[in-house]
Amino acid sequence: LYKHHRKPRLAPETKVLIGSDKRKCVVPQVMITPGICEGYLLKRRKWPLKGWHKRYFVLEGGTLRYSKSHQDVSRGRVQGSLDVSLAVMSINKKSNRIDLDTGDILYHIKAKSHDLFYIWVTKLQAHRLYKKNETANAHSNECCLPPLFSQKIVFLHFSLFLLLHHQPAPSHGPPSVADSAAEYFDASDDILCGSSSEVSDESGLSDGSTTNSEPEEGHGKDLARVSMPAALNEPVNLLQRLCEELEYSELLDVANNTPDPYQRMVYIAAFAISGYTTATFRNRYKPFNPVLGETYECIREDRGFRFISEQVCHHPPISACHAESENFTFWQDQRWKNKFWGKSLEILPTGMVNVTLSRYGDHYEWNKVVTCIHNVLSQQRYLEHYGEVTIQNLKNSTCTCKITFVKSRYWGSDTNKNEVQGTVLDQGGSVIHRFGGLWHEGIFCDTLPTPKCIWKPNSQPKDYLQFYGFSTFAMELNELTPDLRPFLPPTDTRLRPDQRMLEEGNVSGADRKKDEIEELQRERRKELAKKGSEHTPRFFRKAKDSSGRDVWLNTGTYWELRQNPGFAKLENITLW
Ligand SMILES: CC(C)CCC[C@@H](C)[C@H]1CC[C@H]2[C@@H]3CC=C4C[C@@H](O)CC[C@]4(C)[C@H]3CC[C@]12C
């Protein structure tokens, strides 16, 4: 069945590039339309029917189309199509994989044999070059850049690019740094080659403070020296973003007052979903990276909880948190892996979220889904969540819950953007409750005694676009009142000078201070390494959970020490 048309045809619109052309591109003198390439390949699908599926692909004139079968294609029934010149292609020779990242969609394709893989890669490359030149000739004057060879170099280039050309990114108006960066990548004719089955494996946020700088650790580490400009930051950090997941803590209060275990689970699920809603307006800026030992507290008497978090590990970056109220406790340690595909960045969280309810003694535990930053280098950047969440009650197996964050475009349209669907199951696996909706608009449950909307995001404050897209709750995270100040440990984020400067609108000051703080952190690391000792977190300790996973648990000493003798009377590390 496999057809491969080797014979190249001369395109009617063939352009001859004149030799005096000053551009240093290596372009064939005569642009030949590359031959059609078609046949079956495996395409990965995430949901529903997760796995590798056989699809018939046709590559023609720089466009790749696919369908279920050869017949479908010949009948003109196409499932999807993409302009290969606009996608970043990465390949993995070992697993015969080709990944295409268009910025909006990530395609994962696999050939059944190495020969087929090789043919497709060659053809895709030819079609990409052909289409790019066609477009370049249409707009001319574009420059070509040397090929980039690895993910890490791409990252390095991007960071350098940002450093060299940095300017505040306006929400409207002229193209930003990121836009130019995107052009920069579009212009370069690179193929990203992953050495492992995964394309990239950086963890955490690339920043001066996240990666350590031992030279023997290789290439990616060069990035450690590259500090992201503060103009790209929002004045909250990752320790505070953990607290943001409690914006809808009232759902936990409701759960703790719901006697029926199945209904209770519905509210826990709504809470798990509500933590993702900030993504709607928060795609322009990057949170600050906490330095090792940095802490954050948040007391919300109005909501009945108090929260603490601490940066417990530097490499990989891990932020641990713990919150408690009359109704619940909430804890998690946040860490994740990044996969960079050329235009999009996938964030794969590895830690679990935990909630206990005081009245029923339930202990719920669930995983987090993948968050993809589409078009990460451009103004068109937006976030998408996809994958499955399983909520288990470790104390009682009466019910479990499955939530699916549907990958958009599965049904071929944009209408299912941000869709979530969920079910609460009994021990036998029968569906007791069903709910669904959109994570940016609300969740509806029609199986409750009275069908109703169980959660809806708060409306955004006035002028939120000018203020980093923050919700009212997010805006309150940095509040530093005179009566609070004497109680805070000097490691509290509210006292971090660079973030404070950004909060007050002093971007260049923040930038300078940020460099200083990152440098201080590197020095502390070196000191520790010299002594051969390791940093020990102050309020969390490492343990294993029931499934043998590493977790960071609260030692419970924070509030006691705060009360007596008070942090001012204790020995604290100096972070800035
Ligand atoms: C400045 C430009 C170039 C990049 C902007 C990147 C922003 C949008 C990125 C940087 C770090 C990212 C966060 C890192 C980790 C998590 C935890 C995960 O469970 C949910 C998504 C969330 C909360 C990410 C949301 C998007 C995020 C804030």
Side-chain angles (χ1 to χ4, degrees):
L1 257 173
Y2 194 84
K3 266 194 252 159
H4 174 231
H5 309 262
R6 266 164 207 278
K7 249 187 234 150
R9 296 172 300 173
L10 206 63
E13 64 286 338
T14 300
K15 293 235 163 65
V16 180
L17 296 172
I18 302 152
S20 69
D21 195 310
K22 281 215 180 73
R23 294 174 300 169
K24 287 218 170 110
C25 321
V26 196
V27 216
Q29 292 255 304
V30 178
M31 253 346 255
I32 286 171
T33 311
I36 302 172
C37 187
E38 57 186 295
Y40 281 101
L41 290 168
L42 298 170
K43 180 178 171 294
R44 195 169 82 187
R45 187 164 163 169
K46 285 205 173 132
W47 189 92
L49 304 171
K50 194 171 163 176
W52 293 93
H53 296 263
K54 215 169 128 187
R55 291 289 176 272
Y56 196 81
F57 283 82
V58 180
L59 176 62
E60 188 178 9
T63 305
L64 183 65
R65 291 190 186 78
Y66 68 91
S67 222
K68 274 230 166 83
S69 64
H70 183 44
Q71 287 93 311
D72 275 6
V73 179
S74 42
R75 283 195 213 113
R77 249 192 266 151
V78 177
Q79 267 185 358
S81 96
L82 74 143
D83 179 337
V84 290
S85 72
L86 298 177
V88 175
M89 180 160 96
S90 29
I91 57 171
N92 186 298
K93 288 181 199 159
K94 258 191 232 144
S95 51
N96 294 335
R97 261 183 67 169
I98 304 170
D99 300 291
L100 291 160
D101 181 1
T102 67
D104 285 323
I105 312 181
L106 259 171
Y107 295 93
H108 304 292
I109 299 165
K110 198 155 75 171
K112 282 205 201 121
S113 72
H114 189 69
D115 288 347
L116 284 180
F117 166 77
Y118 186 75
I119 292 167
W120 275 100
V121 171
T122 317
K123 281 292 179 182
L124 279 164
Q125 236 176 316
H127 280 258
R128 276 158 54 83
L129 194 64
Y130 162 75
K131 192 68 185 283
K132 267 185 195 175
N133 277 300
E134 203 184 56
T135 336
N137 288 332
H139 313 286
S140 74
N141 272 340
E142 269 177 40
C143 75
C144 291
L145 292 150
L148 299 168
F149 293 108
S150 85
Q151 287 292 312
K152 296 202 167 163
I153 293 177
V154 173
F155 256 133
L156 182 62
H157 272 249
F158 178 48
S159 304
L160 284 174
F161 185 92
L162 289 174
L163 262 188
L164 297 174
H165 304 257
H166 108 255
Q167 65 187 64
S171 42
H172 305 291
S176 68
V177 194
D179 271 333
S180 337
E183 273 167 36
Y184 174 100
F185 283 109
D186 282 343
S188 64
D189 190 44
D190 56 315
I191 296 181
L192 307 171
C193 300
S195 50
S196 67
S197 64
E198 303 307 355
V199 166
S200 142
D201 223 15
E202 290 286 323
S203 62
L205 295 175
S206 258
D207 203 342
S209 55
T210 47
T211 357
N212 62 11
S213 39
E214 272 73 89
E216 66 274 16
E217 287 201 25
H219 232 2
K221 299 299 165 254
D222 295 350
L223 274 181
R225 298 277 172 210
V226 182
S227 161
M228 293 278 270
L232 290 171
N233 279 108
E234 55 182 19
V236 299
N237 74 1
L238 289 166
L239 298 174
Q240 293 168 303
R241 285 202 66 141
L242 279 173
C243 186
E244 275 190 76
E245 292 188 20
L246 286 173
E247 176 160 357
Y248 301 94
S249 62
E250 63 196 296
L251 288 165
L252 298 180
D253 301 329
V254 174
N256 196 43
N257 288 306
T258 305
D260 179 272
Y262 302 106
Q263 288 179 27
R264 201 148 70 225
M265 187 61 110
V266 173
Y267 289 102
I268 298 291
F271 173 77
I273 297 165
S274 74
Y276 286 102
T277 195
T278 57
T280 324
F281 305 104
R282 301 283 285 284
N283 51 21
R284 318 203 70 87
Y285 303 94
K286 186 174 151 293
F288 272 81
N289 259 322
V291 290
L292 189 59
E294 190 169 336
T295 59
Y296 175 71
E297 67 160 59
C298 184
I299 307 175
R300 294 297 303 238
E301 267 150 25
D302 55 337
R303 291 165 192 258
F305 71 77
R306 55 186 194 183
F307 168 98
I308 61 156
S309 48
E310 178 177 2
Q311 190 69 4
V312 292
C313 185
H314 180 74
H315 197 73
I318 304 176
S319 321
C321 73
H322 185 91
E324 59 209 20
S325 92
E326 233 173 61
N327 293 319
F328 65 85
T329 60
F330 162 90
W331 73 96
Q332 67 171 311
D333 42 68
Q334 180 161 277
R335 47 188 136 168
W336 72 86
K337 289 209 153 173
N338 288 331
K339 277 197 204 173
F340 181 54
W341 298 99
K343 289 198 175 188
S344 332
L345 183 74
E346 283 188 306
I347 294 171
L348 303 113
T350 48
M352 301 292 263
V353 187
N354 293 269
V355 162
T356 62
L357 295 182
S358 54
R359 180 167 300 175
Y360 304 98
D362 297 338
H363 177 175
Y364 300 98
E365 185 198 68
W366 65 88
N367 62 296
K368 293 188 139 187
V369 293
V370 175
T371 298
C372 182
I373 313 174
H374 289 282
N375 302 303
V376 63
L377 307 176
S378 98
Q379 286 280 67
Q380 274 74 52
R381 180 164 58 240
Y382 66 95
L383 305 183
E384 188 191 2
H385 311 295
Y386 44 77
E388 266 184 8
V389 173
T390 306
I391 311 179
Q392 270 178 300
N393 184 352
L394 304 180
K395 286 286 157 67
N396 184 330
S397 52
T398 317
C399 64
T400 52
C401 175
K402 282 216 183 312
I403 312 170
T404 304
F405 285 71
V406 183
K407 213 167 182 234
S408 112
R409 285 163 226 268
Y410 260 130
W411 320 110
S413 80
D414 252 355
T415 50
N416 70 322
K417 227 178 168 188
N418 302 346
E419 192 177 323
V420 265
Q421 297 170 2
T423 47
V424 173
L425 309 163
D426 69 7
Q427 255 167 327
S430 320
V431 175
I432 307 296
H433 286 294
R434 198 178 46 220
F435 56 86
L438 305 169
W439 55 252
H440 70 296
E441 273 184 359
I443 302 296
F444 193 85
C445 180
D446 58 5
T447 48
L448 288 173
T450 41
K452 62 178 168 194
C453 170
I454 42 173
W455 165 79
K456 173 160 104 39
N458 298 326
S459 55
Q460 285 290 97
K462 201 171 141 261
D463 298 333
Y464 66 92
L465 281 175
Q466 269 163 275
F467 298 104
Y468 306 92
F470 285 171
S471 65
T472 308
F473 186 78
M475 285 183 184
E476 291 160 353
L477 293 170
N478 269 341
E479 247 163 42
L480 182 55
T481 49
D483 55 321
L484 177 65
R485 204 183 179 119
F487 290 101
L488 294 178
T491 49
D492 194 278
T493 301
R494 285 186 185 78
L495 305 174
R496 189 172 156 161
D498 52 350
Q499 203 175 305
R500 186 55 56 189
M501 281 172 171
L502 186 64
E503 165 101 25
E504 286 159 1
N506 176 0
V507 181
S508 55
D511 225 356
R512 238 174 300 123
K513 206 68 208 172
K514 186 168 167 287
D515 282 350
E516 265 174 53
I517 292 173
E518 283 162 8
E519 188 51 41
L520 281 175
Q521 158 155 277
R522 277 191 284 272
E523 273 162 25
R524 279 196 304 278
R525 277 183 69 78
K526 269 191 222 145
E527 273 313 302
L528 274 180
K530 236 193 257 162
K531 282 190 266 168
S533 63
E534 246 181 53
H535 169 89
T536 14
R538 207 169 168 195
F539 308 107
F540 291 86
R541 67 186 157 77
K542 202 175 177 173
K544 297 257 182 226
D545 73 1
S546 50
S547 337
R549 257 181 247 109
D550 278 347
V551 284
W552 292 87
L553 298 177
N554 182 22
T555 55
T557 52
Y558 186 90
W559 300 108
E560 279 166 36
L561 292 172
R562 186 184 194 270
Q563 180 73 30
N564 185 19
F567 290 116
K569 295 208 181 102
L570 287 163
E571 209 187 297
N572 299 289
I573 29 170
T574 314
L575 298 178
W576 40 71

